[in-house]
Coordinates of all heavy atoms in Angstrom, one line a residue:
M1 N -19.3 -6.8 93.1 CA -19.6 -7.0 91.7 C -19.8 -8.5 91.5 O -19.1 -9.3 92.0 CB -18.5 -6.5 90.9 CG -18.7 -6.7 89.4 SD -17.4 -5.8 88.5 CE -18.3 -5.1 87.3
S2 N -20.8 -8.9 90.8 CA -21.2 -10.3 90.6 C -20.9 -10.7 89.1 O -21.2 -9.9 88.2 CB -22.7 -10.4 90.9 OG -23.2 -11.6 90.3
Y3 N -20.3 -11.8 89.0 CA -20.0 -12.4 87.7 C -20.9 -13.6 87.4 O -21.1 -14.4 88.3 CB -18.6 -12.8 87.5 CG -17.6 -11.6 87.6 CD1 -17.0 -11.3 88.8 CD2 -17.4 -10.8 86.5 CE1 -16.1 -10.2 88.9 CE2 -16.5 -9.8 86.5 CZ -15.9 -9.5 87.7 OH -15.0 -8.4 87.8
S4 N -21.4 -13.7 86.2 CA -22.1 -14.9 85.9 C -21.3 -15.7 84.8 O -20.7 -15.1 84.0 CB -23.5 -14.6 85.4 OG -23.4 -13.9 84.1
V5 N -21.3 -17.0 85.0 CA -20.7 -17.9 84.0 C -21.7 -18.5 83.1 O -22.7 -19.0 83.6 CB -19.9 -19.0 84.8 CG1 -19.2 -19.9 83.8 CG2 -18.9 -18.4 85.7
T6 N -21.5 -18.3 81.9 CA -22.4 -18.9 80.9 C -21.8 -20.1 80.3 O -20.7 -20.1 79.8 CB -22.6 -17.9 79.7 OG1 -23.1 -16.7 80.3 CG2 -23.6 -18.4 78.7
H7 N -22.5 -21.2 80.4 CA -22.0 -22.5 79.9 C -22.4 -22.5 78.4 O -23.6 -22.3 78.0 CB -22.7 -23.6 80.6 CG -22.4 -25.0 80.0 ND1 -21.1 -25.5 80.2 CD2 -23.1 -25.8 79.2 CE1 -21.1 -26.7 79.5 NE2 -22.3 -26.9 79.0
I8 N -21.4 -22.7 77.5 CA -21.6 -22.8 76.1 C -21.6 -24.3 75.7 O -20.6 -24.9 75.9 CB -20.6 -22.0 75.3 CG1 -20.7 -20.5 75.7 CG2 -20.8 -22.1 73.8 CD1 -19.6 -19.6 75.2
E9 N -22.6 -24.7 75.2 CA -22.7 -26.1 74.7 C -22.1 -26.2 73.3 O -22.6 -25.6 72.4 CB -24.2 -26.6 74.8 CG -24.3 -28.0 74.3 CD -23.7 -29.0 75.2 OE1 -23.7 -28.9 76.4 OE2 -23.0 -30.0 74.7
R10 N -21.0 -27.0 73.2 CA -20.4 -27.1 71.9 C -21.1 -28.1 71.0 O -21.1 -28.0 69.8 CB -18.9 -27.5 72.0 CG -18.1 -26.5 72.6 CD -16.6 -26.8 72.7 NE -16.4 -28.2 72.5 CZ -15.2 -28.7 72.3 NH1 -14.1 -28.0 72.4 NH2 -15.0 -30.0 72.0
R11 N -21.7 -29.1 71.7 CA -22.4 -30.1 70.9 C -23.7 -29.5 70.4 O -24.4 -28.8 71.0 CB -22.8 -31.3 71.8 CG -21.5 -32.1 72.2 CD -21.9 -33.2 73.1 NE -22.3 -32.7 74.4 CZ -22.8 -33.5 75.3 NH1 -23.0 -34.8 75.2 NH2 -23.1 -33.0 76.5
Q12 N -24.0 -29.8 69.1 CA -25.2 -29.3 68.5 C -26.0 -30.6 68.1 O -25.7 -31.7 68.4 CB -24.9 -28.5 67.3 CG -24.1 -27.2 67.7 CD -23.6 -26.5 66.5 OE1 -23.8 -26.9 65.3 NE2 -22.8 -25.4 66.7
L13 N -27.0 -30.3 67.3 CA -27.8 -31.5 66.8 C -26.9 -32.3 66.0 O -26.0 -31.8 65.3 CB -29.0 -31.0 65.9 CG -30.0 -30.2 66.7 CD1 -31.1 -29.7 65.7 CD2 -30.7 -31.1 67.7
P14 N -27.0 -33.6 66.0 CA -26.1 -34.5 65.2 C -26.3 -34.2 63.7 O -27.4 -34.0 63.3 CB -26.5 -35.9 65.6 CG -27.8 -35.8 66.3 CD -28.0 -34.4 66.8
P15 N -25.2 -34.3 63.0 CA -25.4 -34.1 61.5 C -26.2 -35.2 60.9 O -26.3 -36.3 61.5 CB -24.0 -34.1 61.0 CG -23.1 -34.5 62.1 CD -23.9 -34.5 63.4
K16 N -26.8 -35.0 59.8 CA -27.6 -36.0 59.1 C -26.6 -37.1 58.7 O -25.5 -36.9 58.4 CB -28.2 -35.4 57.9 CG -29.3 -34.3 58.2 CD -29.9 -33.8 57.0 CE -31.0 -32.7 57.5 NZ -31.7 -32.1 56.3
P17 N -27.1 -38.3 58.6 CA -26.3 -39.5 58.3 C -25.5 -39.3 57.0 O -24.4 -39.7 56.9 CB -27.3 -40.6 58.2 CG -28.4 -40.2 59.1 CD -28.5 -38.7 59.0
M18 N -26.1 -38.7 56.0 CA -25.4 -38.6 54.7 C -24.2 -37.6 54.8 O -23.2 -37.8 54.2 CB -26.3 -38.1 53.6 CG -27.3 -39.2 53.2 SD -26.5 -40.8 52.7 CE -25.5 -40.3 51.3
I19 N -24.3 -36.6 55.7 CA -23.2 -35.7 55.9 C -22.0 -36.4 56.5 O -20.9 -36.3 56.2 CB -23.6 -34.5 56.7 CG1 -24.6 -33.6 56.0 CG2 -22.4 -33.7 57.2 CD1 -25.2 -32.5 56.7
L20 N -22.3 -37.3 57.5 CA -21.3 -38.1 58.2 C -20.7 -39.0 57.2 O -19.5 -39.2 57.1 CB -21.9 -38.9 59.4 CG -22.2 -38.1 60.6 CD1 -22.9 -39.0 61.6 CD2 -21.0 -37.4 61.2
W21 N -21.5 -39.7 56.4 CA -21.1 -40.7 55.4 C -20.1 -40.0 54.4 O -19.1 -40.6 54.0 CB -22.3 -41.3 54.7 CG -21.9 -42.4 53.8 CD1 -21.8 -42.4 52.5 CD2 -21.7 -43.8 54.2 NE1 -21.5 -43.7 52.0 CE2 -21.4 -44.5 53.1 CE3 -21.6 -44.4 55.5 CZ2 -21.1 -45.9 53.1 CZ3 -21.3 -45.8 55.5 CH2 -21.1 -46.5 54.3
D22 N -20.3 -38.8 54.0 CA -19.5 -38.1 53.1 C -18.1 -37.8 53.7 O -17.2 -37.5 52.9 CB -20.1 -36.8 52.6 CG -21.3 -37.1 51.7 OD1 -21.4 -38.2 51.1 OD2 -22.2 -36.2 51.5
R23 N -18.0 -37.8 55.0 CA -16.7 -37.5 55.6 C -15.8 -38.8 55.7 O -14.6 -38.6 56.1 CB -16.9 -37.0 57.1 CG -17.6 -35.7 57.1 CD -17.8 -35.2 58.5 NE -18.6 -34.0 58.5 CZ -19.1 -33.5 59.6 NH1 -18.9 -34.0 60.8 NH2 -19.7 -32.3 59.6
L24 N -16.3 -39.9 55.3 CA -15.5 -41.2 55.3 C -14.8 -41.4 54.0 O -15.3 -41.0 52.9 CB -16.4 -42.4 55.6 CG -17.2 -42.3 56.9 CD1 -18.1 -43.6 57.0 CD2 -16.3 -42.2 58.1
N25 N -13.6 -42.0 54.0 CA -13.0 -42.4 52.8 C -13.6 -43.8 52.3 O -14.4 -44.4 53.0 CB -11.5 -42.5 52.9 CG -11.0 -43.5 53.9 OD1 -11.6 -44.6 54.1 ND2 -9.9 -43.3 54.5
L26 N -13.1 -44.3 51.2 CA -13.7 -45.5 50.7 C -13.5 -46.7 51.6 O -14.5 -47.5 51.8 CB -13.1 -45.8 49.3 CG -13.7 -46.9 48.5 CD1 -15.2 -46.7 48.3 CD2 -13.0 -47.1 47.2
S27 N -12.3 -46.8 52.2 CA -12.1 -48.0 53.1 C -13.0 -47.9 54.3 O -13.5 -48.9 54.7 CB -10.6 -48.0 53.6 OG -9.8 -48.2 52.5
Q28 N -13.2 -46.7 54.8 CA -14.1 -46.6 56.0 C -15.5 -46.8 55.6 O -16.2 -47.4 56.4 CB -13.9 -45.2 56.6 CG -12.6 -44.9 57.3 CD -12.4 -43.5 57.7 OE1 -12.7 -42.6 56.9 NE2 -11.9 -43.3 58.9
K29 N -15.9 -46.4 54.5 CA -17.3 -46.6 54.0 C -17.6 -48.1 53.9 O -18.6 -48.6 54.3 CB -17.6 -45.9 52.7 CG -17.7 -44.5 52.8 CD -18.0 -43.8 51.5 CE -18.1 -42.3 51.6 NZ -18.3 -41.6 50.4
F30 N -16.6 -48.9 53.3 CA -16.8 -50.3 53.2 C -17.0 -51.0 54.6 O -17.9 -51.8 54.8 CB -15.6 -50.9 52.4 CG -15.7 -52.4 52.3 CD1 -16.6 -53.0 51.4 CD2 -15.0 -53.2 53.1 CE1 -16.7 -54.4 51.3 CE2 -15.1 -54.6 53.0 CZ -15.9 -55.2 52.1
T31 N -16.0 -50.6 55.5 CA -16.1 -51.3 56.8 C -17.3 -50.8 57.6 O -17.9 -51.7 58.2 CB -14.8 -50.9 57.6 OG1 -13.7 -51.3 56.8 CG2 -14.8 -51.6 58.9
A32 N -17.7 -49.6 57.4 CA -18.9 -49.1 58.1 C -20.1 -49.8 57.6 O -21.0 -50.1 58.4 CB -19.0 -47.6 57.9
S33 N -20.2 -50.1 56.4 CA -21.4 -50.8 55.8 C -21.4 -52.2 56.4 O -22.5 -52.8 56.6 CB -21.4 -50.8 54.3 OG -20.3 -51.5 53.8
Q34 N -20.2 -52.8 56.5 CA -20.2 -54.2 57.1 C -20.6 -54.2 58.6 O -21.4 -55.0 59.0 CB -18.7 -54.7 57.0 CG -18.2 -54.9 55.6 CD -19.1 -55.9 54.8 OE1 -19.5 -57.0 55.3 NE2 -19.4 -55.6 53.6
L35 N -20.2 -53.2 59.4 CA -20.6 -53.1 60.8 C -22.1 -52.8 60.9 O -22.7 -53.2 61.8 CB -19.8 -52.0 61.5 CG -18.3 -52.4 61.9 CD1 -17.6 -51.2 62.5 CD2 -18.3 -53.6 62.8
G36 N -22.6 -52.0 59.9 CA -24.0 -51.7 59.9 C -24.9 -53.0 59.8 O -26.0 -53.0 60.4
R37 N -24.4 -54.0 59.3 CA -25.1 -55.3 59.2 C -25.3 -55.9 60.6 O -26.1 -56.7 60.8 CB -24.4 -56.3 58.3 CG -24.4 -55.9 56.9 CD -23.7 -56.8 56.0 NE -23.7 -56.4 54.6 CZ -23.2 -57.0 53.6 NH1 -22.5 -58.2 53.9 NH2 -23.2 -56.6 52.4
F38 N -24.4 -55.5 61.5 CA -24.5 -56.0 62.9 C -25.2 -55.0 63.8 O -25.2 -55.1 65.0 CB -23.1 -56.3 63.5 CG -22.4 -57.4 62.7 CD1 -21.5 -57.1 61.7 CD2 -22.7 -58.7 63.0 CE1 -20.9 -58.1 61.0 CE2 -22.1 -59.7 62.3 CZ -21.2 -59.4 61.3
G39 N -25.8 -53.9 63.2 CA -26.6 -53.0 64.0 C -25.9 -51.7 64.4 O -26.4 -50.8 65.0
Y40 N -24.6 -51.6 64.1 CA -23.8 -50.4 64.4 C -24.3 -49.2 63.5 O -24.6 -49.4 62.4 CB -22.3 -50.6 64.1 CG -21.6 -51.4 65.2 CD1 -21.6 -52.8 65.2 CD2 -21.0 -50.7 66.3 CE1 -20.9 -53.5 66.2 CE2 -20.3 -51.4 67.2 CZ -20.3 -52.8 67.2 OH -19.6 -53.5 68.2
G41 N -24.3 -48.1 64.1 CA -24.6 -46.9 63.4 C -23.5 -45.8 63.5 O -22.8 -45.8 64.6
L42 N -23.3 -45.1 62.5 CA -22.2 -44.1 62.5 C -22.7 -42.9 63.4 O -23.7 -42.3 63.1 CB -22.0 -43.6 61.0 CG -20.8 -42.6 60.8 CD1 -19.5 -43.2 61.3 CD2 -20.7 -42.3 59.3
S43 N -21.9 -42.7 64.4 CA -22.2 -41.6 65.4 C -21.6 -40.3 65.0 O -22.2 -39.2 65.0 CB -21.9 -42.0 66.8 OG -22.7 -43.0 67.2
F44 N -20.3 -40.3 64.8 CA -19.5 -39.1 64.4 C -18.2 -39.5 63.8 O -17.7 -40.6 63.9 CB -19.4 -38.2 65.6 CG -18.7 -38.7 66.8 CD1 -17.4 -38.6 67.0 CD2 -19.5 -39.4 67.8 CE1 -16.8 -39.1 68.2 CE2 -18.9 -39.9 68.9 CZ -17.5 -39.8 69.1
V45 N -17.5 -38.5 63.3 CA -16.2 -38.7 62.7 C -15.3 -37.6 63.3 O -15.6 -36.5 63.4 CB -16.2 -38.5 61.1 CG1 -14.8 -38.6 60.6 CG2 -17.2 -39.5 60.5
R46 N -14.1 -38.1 63.8 CA -13.2 -37.2 64.4 C -11.9 -37.2 63.5 O -11.5 -38.2 63.0 CB -12.8 -37.7 65.8 CG -13.8 -37.4 66.8 CD -13.9 -35.9 67.1 NE -15.0 -35.7 68.1 CZ -16.2 -35.2 67.7 NH1 -16.4 -34.9 66.5 NH2 -17.1 -34.9 68.6
H47 N -11.3 -36.0 63.4 CA -10.1 -35.8 62.7 C -9.0 -35.8 63.7 O -9.0 -35.0 64.7 CB -10.1 -34.6 61.9 CG -11.2 -34.6 60.8 ND1 -11.0 -35.4 59.6 CD2 -12.4 -34.1 60.7 CE1 -12.1 -35.3 58.9 NE2 -13.0 -34.5 59.6
I48 N -8.0 -36.7 63.5 CA -6.9 -36.9 64.4 C -5.6 -36.7 63.6 O -5.6 -36.6 62.4 CB -6.9 -38.2 65.2 CG1 -7.0 -39.4 64.2 CG2 -8.1 -38.3 66.1 CD1 -7.0 -40.8 64.8
K49 N -4.5 -36.7 64.3 CA -3.2 -36.5 63.6 C -3.0 -37.5 62.5 O -2.4 -37.2 61.4 CB -2.0 -36.6 64.6 CG -1.9 -35.5 65.5 CD -0.8 -35.7 66.5 CE -0.7 -34.5 67.5 NZ 0.4 -34.6 68.4
S50 N -3.3 -38.8 62.7 CA -3.1 -39.8 61.7 C -4.2 -39.9 60.6 O -4.1 -40.7 59.7 CB -2.9 -41.2 62.3 OG -4.1 -41.5 63.0
G51 N -5.2 -39.0 60.6 CA -6.3 -39.0 59.6 C -7.6 -38.8 60.3 O -7.7 -38.0 61.1
S52 N -8.6 -39.6 59.9 CA -9.9 -39.5 60.5 C -10.3 -40.8 61.2 O -9.7 -41.9 60.9 CB -10.9 -39.1 59.5 OG -11.1 -40.1 58.5
L53 N -11.1 -40.7 62.2 CA -11.6 -41.9 62.9 C -13.1 -41.9 63.0 O -13.7 -40.9 63.5 CB -11.0 -41.8 64.3 CG -11.1 -43.0 65.2 CD1 -10.2 -44.1 64.7 CD2 -10.6 -42.7 66.6
A54 N -13.7 -42.9 62.4 CA -15.1 -43.0 62.4 C -15.6 -43.8 63.7 O -15.0 -44.8 64.0 CB -15.6 -43.8 61.2
I55 N -16.5 -43.2 64.4 CA -17.0 -43.9 65.6 C -18.4 -44.4 65.4 O -19.3 -43.7 65.0 CB -17.0 -42.9 66.8 CG1 -15.6 -42.6 67.3 CG2 -17.7 -43.5 68.0 CD1 -14.8 -41.7 66.5
M56 N -18.6 -45.7 65.6 CA -19.8 -46.4 65.4 C -20.3 -47.0 66.7 O -19.5 -47.4 67.5 CB -19.7 -47.4 64.3 CG -19.3 -46.8 63.0 SD -19.4 -48.0 61.6 CE -21.2 -48.2 61.4
V57 N -21.6 -47.0 66.9 CA -22.2 -47.4 68.2 C -23.4 -48.3 68.0 O -24.2 -48.1 67.1 CB -22.6 -46.2 69.1 CG1 -23.2 -46.7 70.4 CG2 -21.4 -45.3 69.3
V58 N -23.5 -49.4 68.8 CA -24.7 -50.2 68.9 C -24.8 -50.5 70.3 O -24.0 -51.1 71.0 CB -24.6 -51.4 68.0 CG1 -23.5 -52.4 68.4 CG2 -26.0 -52.2 68.0
G59 N -25.9 -50.0 70.9 CA -26.2 -50.2 72.4 C -25.0 -49.6 73.1 O -24.7 -48.4 73.0
D60 N -24.4 -50.4 74.0 CA -23.2 -49.9 74.8 C -21.9 -50.2 74.1 O -20.9 -49.9 74.7 CB -23.3 -50.5 76.2 CG -24.4 -50.0 77.0 OD1 -24.9 -48.8 76.8 OD2 -24.9 -50.7 77.9
N61 N -21.9 -50.8 73.0 CA -20.7 -51.2 72.3 C -20.2 -50.1 71.3 O -21.0 -49.5 70.5 CB -20.9 -52.5 71.5 CG -21.3 -53.6 72.4 OD1 -20.7 -53.8 73.4 ND2 -22.3 -54.4 72.0
I62 N -18.9 -49.8 71.3 CA -18.3 -48.8 70.5 C -17.3 -49.5 69.6 O -16.6 -50.3 70.1 CB -17.6 -47.7 71.4 CG1 -18.6 -47.1 72.3 CG2 -17.0 -46.6 70.5 CD1 -17.9 -46.2 73.4
A63 N -17.3 -49.0 68.4 CA -16.2 -49.5 67.4 C -15.7 -48.3 66.7 O -16.4 -47.3 66.4 CB -16.8 -50.5 66.4
T64 N -14.4 -48.3 66.4 CA -13.8 -47.2 65.7 C -13.2 -47.8 64.4 O -12.8 -48.9 64.3 CB -12.7 -46.5 66.4 OG1 -11.6 -47.4 66.7 CG2 -13.2 -45.9 67.7
I65 N -13.2 -46.9 63.3 CA -12.6 -47.3 62.1 C -11.6 -46.3 61.7 O -12.0 -45.1 61.6 CB -13.7 -47.4 61.0 CG1 -14.9 -48.3 61.4 CG2 -13.1 -47.9 59.7 CD1 -16.1 -48.3 60.5
N66 N -10.4 -46.7 61.5 CA -9.3 -45.7 61.1 C -9.3 -45.5 59.6 O -10.1 -46.1 58.8 CB -8.0 -46.2 61.6 CG -7.4 -47.4 60.9 OD1 -7.9 -47.9 59.9 ND2 -6.4 -48.0 61.5
D67 N -8.4 -44.7 59.1 CA -8.3 -44.4 57.7 C -8.1 -45.6 56.8 O -8.5 -45.6 55.6 CB -7.2 -43.4 57.4 CG -7.7 -41.9 57.5 OD1 -8.9 -41.7 57.5 OD2 -6.8 -41.1 57.6
D68 N -7.5 -46.6 57.3 CA -7.2 -47.8 56.5 C -8.4 -48.8 56.5 O -8.3 -49.8 55.9 CB -6.0 -48.6 57.1 CG -4.7 -47.8 56.9 OD1 -4.6 -47.0 55.9 OD2 -3.8 -47.9 57.7
G69 N -9.4 -48.5 57.3 CA -10.6 -49.3 57.3 C -10.5 -50.4 58.4 O -11.3 -51.3 58.5
D70 N -9.5 -50.3 59.3 CA -9.3 -51.2 60.3 C -10.2 -50.9 61.5 O -10.4 -49.8 61.9 CB -7.8 -51.2 60.9 CG -6.8 -51.6 59.8 OD1 -7.2 -52.5 59.0 OD2 -5.7 -51.1 59.8
V71 N -10.8 -52.0 62.1 CA -11.8 -51.8 63.1 C -11.2 -52.1 64.5 O -10.4 -53.0 64.6 CB -13.0 -52.8 62.9 CG1 -14.0 -52.7 64.1 CG2 -13.7 -52.5 61.6
D72 N -11.5 -51.3 65.5 CA -11.2 -51.5 66.9 C -12.5 -51.6 67.6 O -13.2 -50.6 67.8 CB -10.3 -50.4 67.4 CG -9.8 -50.7 68.8 OD1 -10.2 -51.7 69.4 OD2 -9.1 -49.8 69.3
T73 N -12.8 -52.8 68.1 CA -14.1 -53.0 68.8 C -13.9 -52.8 70.3 O -14.9 -53.0 71.1 CB -14.7 -54.4 68.6 OG1 -13.7 -55.4 68.9 CG2 -15.1 -54.6 67.1
A74 N -12.7 -52.5 70.8 CA -12.5 -52.2 72.2 C -11.6 -50.9 72.3 O -10.5 -51.0 72.9 CB -11.8 -53.4 72.9
P75 N -12.1 -49.8 71.7 CA -11.3 -48.6 71.8 C -11.2 -48.0 73.2 O -12.1 -48.2 74.0 CB -12.0 -47.7 70.8 CG -13.4 -48.1 70.9 CD -13.3 -49.6 71.1
S76 N -10.1 -47.3 73.4 CA -10.0 -46.6 74.8 C -10.6 -45.2 74.7 O -9.9 -44.3 75.0 CB -8.5 -46.6 75.2 OG -7.8 -45.9 74.2
I77 N -11.9 -45.2 74.4 CA -12.6 -43.9 74.4 C -13.9 -44.0 75.2 O -14.3 -45.2 75.3 CB -12.9 -43.4 72.9 CG1 -13.8 -44.4 72.2 CG2 -11.6 -43.1 72.1 CD1 -14.3 -43.8 70.9
S78 N -14.4 -43.0 75.6 CA -15.7 -43.0 76.3 C -16.5 -41.9 75.7 O -16.0 -40.8 75.3 CB -15.6 -42.8 77.8 OG -14.9 -41.6 78.1
L79 N -17.8 -42.1 75.6 CA -18.7 -41.2 75.0 C -19.4 -40.4 76.1 O -19.8 -40.9 77.1 CB -19.7 -41.9 74.1 CG -19.1 -42.7 72.9 CD1 -20.3 -43.4 72.2 CD2 -18.3 -41.9 72.0
R80 N -19.7 -39.1 75.8 CA -20.5 -38.3 76.7 C -21.9 -38.7 76.5 O -22.4 -39.0 75.4 CB -20.3 -36.8 76.4 CG -19.0 -36.3 76.7 CD -18.9 -34.8 76.5 NE -18.7 -34.6 75.1 CZ -18.5 -33.4 74.5 NH1 -18.6 -32.3 75.3 NH2 -18.3 -33.2 73.3
P81 N -22.7 -38.7 77.6 CA -24.1 -39.0 77.5 C -24.9 -38.0 76.8 O -24.5 -36.9 76.6 CB -24.6 -39.1 79.0 CG -23.5 -38.5 79.8 CD -22.3 -38.4 79.0

């Protein structure tokens, strides 16, 4: 008997920028707009135990913004290609 494994891709098309923007709180929106001036774009928002985490990317550089609007320009995360 033969079994086939079907790979299910969880990633879908990225949400529209306004949908992502609506997921941010006011502090995150302010900080994200500041980072946007340096070319960073909002890639996605993750919900974690302590709140939400906005991930912004420019080139190979990654920055995260926590619920308080604090930026980490050297986060210990890696993005899938």
